[in-house]
Amino acid sequence: GFINHHAGALAIGSVLAIAGLVGLFSLPAVRAAVARAAWRVPALGERIRLVFLARFYRTTGMLLRAGIPLKTTLGMVADILPSALRSGLLQTIADIEQGQPFSKAAESGGLTTPVAMRMIAVGERSGQLGDMMEAVATFYDEEINRLVDTFTRLFEPLLMTVIGGVIGGIVLVGVLGSIVGKLKRESSIVAPAEEPDAKDSAPKDQADGENGEQADTGGHPHQVVELDPVESMKISHRPS
């Protein structure tokens, strides 16, 4: 079949395609474009945002517990945030410099969720902002782990179904190719036997004609006998 005859070319093409995709995604511009596209997906973008916010809350909480001032801490953790959230962090720092509390500034900068904002506000009033930031990070880490487990349970059967479909399609194409090839070979063998050649029929007709003439002459072909002139004269003067 097609796959058997072009197996080498297909394997080389697959390897080149995979290498091309790996090289393409290694480019920073391509990764940034893919990240922006993922952020625009409603459900996926929110989950990615939670992952980065959990890292931000945990790192900020650890630095605050170490005694580092809030403004300095926020400047140190800016590198762990993607560009989509980094502008919000800069806005949060500017609002804190103007005297706003961290919970309100983080909300205006898009660095909180409703649950996180309430917990951060409680931490500010109780003087345990670092501990509360780590508690928020733990809460969202557990939620992310639950989402990953759910996705894994749903993705594994889907992946097995897709792989089974691909393998079944390859096997089906190979079987159909073998059947079609076999039918073509059989048809090419049977076709000459069904249509006799005109050249073969001509000698047969000639032989049939000769056999008919032999049957008319008693089984012997016509023979011309030449007589001697003297004998022919004797035969002509012989009395009847």
Side-chain angles (χ1 to χ4, degrees), residues 52 54-60 76-82 86:
F52 285 107
R55 293 172 58 185
F56 167 71
Y57 294 149
R58 186 172 300 281
T59 306
T60 302
M76 294 173 63
V77 300
D79 293 336
I80 69 173
L81 292 176
R86 198 170 300 164

Side-chain angles (χ1 to χ4, degrees), residues 37-51 143 147:
W39 278 87
R40 294 190 184 97
V41 179
L44 182 61
E46 182 62 25
R47 301 301 180 267
I48 296 174
R49 178 171 174 268
L50 288 179
V51 171
E143 182 176 351
L147 291 174

Side-chain angles (χ1 to χ4, degrees), residues 181-193:
K182 184 177 180 181
L183 292 176
K184 288 182 178 179
R185 288 194 299 270
E186 291 179 354
S187 62
S188 63
I189 294 173
V190 173

Side-chain angles (χ1 to χ4, degrees), residues 43-190:
L44 182 61
E46 182 62 25
R47 301 301 180 267
I48 296 174
R49 178 171 174 268
L50 288 179
V51 171
F52 285 107
L53 287 179
R55 293 172 58 185
F56 167 71
Y57 294 149
R58 186 172 300 281
T59 306
T60 302
M62 292 174 61
L63 294 176
L64 290 175
R65 292 181 59 187
I68 300 174
L70 178 60
K71 182 180 176 181
T72 305
T73 298
L74 296 178
M76 294 173 63
V77 300
D79 293 336
I80 69 173
L81 292 176
S83 58
L85 296 176
R86 198 170 300 164
S87 59
L89 178 62
L90 297 177
Q91 180 63 39
T92 301
I93 295 173
D95 292 341
I96 291 174
E97 291 176 348
Q98 294 177 2
Q100 292 187 11
F102 175 66
S103 57
K104 296 295 183 181
E107 181 183 10
S108 62
L111 297 178
T112 60
T113 62
V115 175
M117 188 186 68
R118 290 193 294 268
M119 296 178 68
I120 292 172
V122 172
E124 283 181 325
R125 289 193 296 267
S126 62
Q128 297 179 349
L129 182 59
D131 294 335
M132 195 58 66
M133 293 285 285
E134 291 194 27
V136 175
T138 301
F139 172 78
Y140 282 116
D141 283 341
E142 293 176 355
E143 182 176 351
I144 292 168
N145 290 333
R146 288 194 298 269
L147 291 174
V148 171
D149 292 338
T150 302
F151 175 76
T152 303
R153 287 195 297 268
L154 295 176
F155 181 73
E156 286 180 355
L158 180 62
L159 180 62
M160 296 301 296
T161 302
V162 172
I163 293 175
V166 172
I167 295 175
I170 294 173
V171 173
L172 182 61
V173 169
V175 172
L176 291 178
S178 301
I179 293 174
V180 172
K182 184 177 180 181
L183 292 176
K184 288 182 178 179
R185 288 194 299 270
E186 291 179 354
S187 62
S188 63
I189 294 173
V190 173

Side-chain angles (χ1 to χ4, degrees), residues 196-210:
D197 194 359
K199 294 182 180 179
D200 296 337
S201 61
K204 183 178 180 181
D205 295 339
Q206 183 178 359
D208 292 342
E210 293 178 355

Side-chain angles (χ1 to χ4, degrees), residues 209-224:
E210 293 178 355
N211 292 334
E213 292 178 359
Q214 290 179 4
D216 295 339
T217 58
H220 299 284
H222 294 285
Q223 297 180 356
V224 178

